[in-house]
Amino acid sequence: MLEIRDLRAGYGQSMVLNGVNLDIAHGTVTALLGRNGMGKTTLCRVLIGLLPMTSGTITLDNDSISHMAPHRLARRGLAYVPQGRSIFARFTVQENLDLGLSARGGRIPPHIFEWFPMLAELRGRRAGTLSGGEQQMLALARALVAEPSLLILDEPSEGLQPSRVTAIGDVLLRIVADKRVTVFLVEQNLALVRRVAAITAFLVDGVIAGGAAGRDLSPQSPLIQRYLGL
Amino acid sequence: MGAFLTWAPLLLDALSFVLVLALVALGLVVIFGLMGVINLAHGELFMLGAYTVVLAVGWGVPFWLAVVLAPIAVGAVGWLVEVLLIRRLAARPLDTILATWGLAIVLQQAAVLAFGPGSRSVARPTDATVTFAGISYPAYRLELMAIAALVLVATMALFARTRVGLRARAAIADPDMAAALGVNVRRVRAQSFVLGAALAGLAGALVAPIISVDPHMGFGFLVPAFLSILAGGGVSLGGVLGGAAIIGGADSLLGHWMSPVVSQIVVFLIAIVAIRLRAARAAGS
Ligand SMILES: Nc1ncnc2c1ncn2[C@@H]1O[C@H](COP(=O)(O)OP(=O)(O)OP(=O)(O)O)[C@@H](O)[C@H]1O
Ligand SMILES: [Mg+2]
């Protein structure tokens, strides 16, 4: 569904991504693991159009989307849950969800509140007053309101207690099963990746250094030892 | 009773000035909030609104139609300015300030060339007065106040209650995230400039019959508009009204028993006190 070829990008003179090649297959969860500062967030920002790439190509369903503006990519079906969530803290939960409709208009699909029952009760609350776990659910729900075809998640489990991480895993498994959303999941949480990802790639020094089927990843596997230094 | 009879018209005059000032200031705030642009040509957009009415009425257009045309015409000018000037200077705030300052001078000179340096006037649509509780007051000023209040409320409702307004607020709060959600941030910014310009144009159109219209009239409104924003606390829409009430109210009322120069100085002092009070409160909370 998404093909990344020889992608290079960085900030000013310093290159962060040095030729990334990655395929994300339709209807799967593809995970990306990598140590801090390897460029995972940089890759996400390039994919969603917030950071211009220096060279390379990105193709979505055989169309080049290499230099598309973010709002156009959103309308093409990409949705993004950034690291740190970036919810609109001073807006209500409802307003945050409504913003998810910017890409396609219409109404909030009813299944959103099936997937995130707690958000139904929190609609009138200011998003900034939600707990970290609730904010992460809101960020995820806001992305799904757009009914995207490709969901890009940057470390959704960061800073959450294990039960919340499990809840995120439940939602991911469910949306992939129900709606055939494709998910690109950047994570450091190995347990979450093993549970949901069909394929896992490793980002090391700005290139994809290897890949594995998700369920083969045990903490003892040589890939993990080598690329994450656990 | 006697005091009421003398004071009521003065207070109404002050209120009409406050409402017009709030329209001008609100336009500035919309442009600053969404674009980060301090538009020093805002007073000239106001001036263009007034001249639009003078010209249109001169051509035989009914007054109220001219009042509707003015914000459209000035909004169109705003759109051109955004496309030709502001957009090219995006993310260079200092250059934008200089550019809008230059634009202000150009527009003033253009007005001098087109309409002459002297002042023009336009007849009020009605000379009727409304008599209430023993005071009679020009009907046009009451109409002006009603329209200004209505447009202020409508603009605030646009931002607070509609989807378009929600997207604009999102573009202010976090432009990257808004864009990633599908908001065309650049277009929202251009629209905000047009809206801000149109508000200035409407304000100019509304006051055209009650003040003298000349190429330099904009500056007289730009300064109190900026002071209103500062006194009212920056970019909140509600603060604009409060700031305009303080600055416009003082300006208008003090002028009745002080020389213009002294009253201007007092207005500045009031503005400084209001700004400092706000700063102290912000630091305390
Ligand atoms: N805005 C920026 N300007 C300059 N350098 C940046 C910027 N953002 C990130 N970098 C640098 O780019 C490199 C990759 O950062 P990135 O955030 O993509 O890493 P990451 O893999 O997401 O890390 P983490 O796991 O900590 O989130 C780092 O060296 C970082 O310092
Ligand atoms: Mg990161």
Side-chain angles (χ1 to χ4, degrees), chain A residues 18-65:
Chain A
N18 302 305
V20 170
N21 289 287
L22 186 66
D23 285 350
I24 298 170
H26 208 278
T28 62
V29 177
T30 301
L32 184 72
L33 288 167
R35 280 202 289 257
N36 290 126
M38 284 295 171
K40 304 181 297 297
T41 298
T42 304
L43 177 59
C44 291
R45 288 179 61 82
V46 172
L47 290 181
I48 198 69
L50 288 172
L51 187 72
M53 64 178 89
T54 315
S55 64
T57 55
I58 306 173
T59 338
L60 177 69
D61 296 328
N62 299 321
D63 292 336
S64 169
I65 56 163

Side-chain angles (χ1 to χ4, degrees), chain A residues 36 90 92 99 212:
Chain A
N36 290 126
R90 297 163 68 95
T92 64
L99 280 168

Side-chain angles (χ1 to χ4, degrees), chain B residues 124-144:
Chain B
R124 288 181 200 185
T126 165
D127 284 322
T129 57
V130 173
T131 307
F132 179 76
I135 52 167
S136 55
Y137 197 71
Y140 176 69
R141 276 187 178 260
L142 294 173
E143 288 162 358
L144 176 158

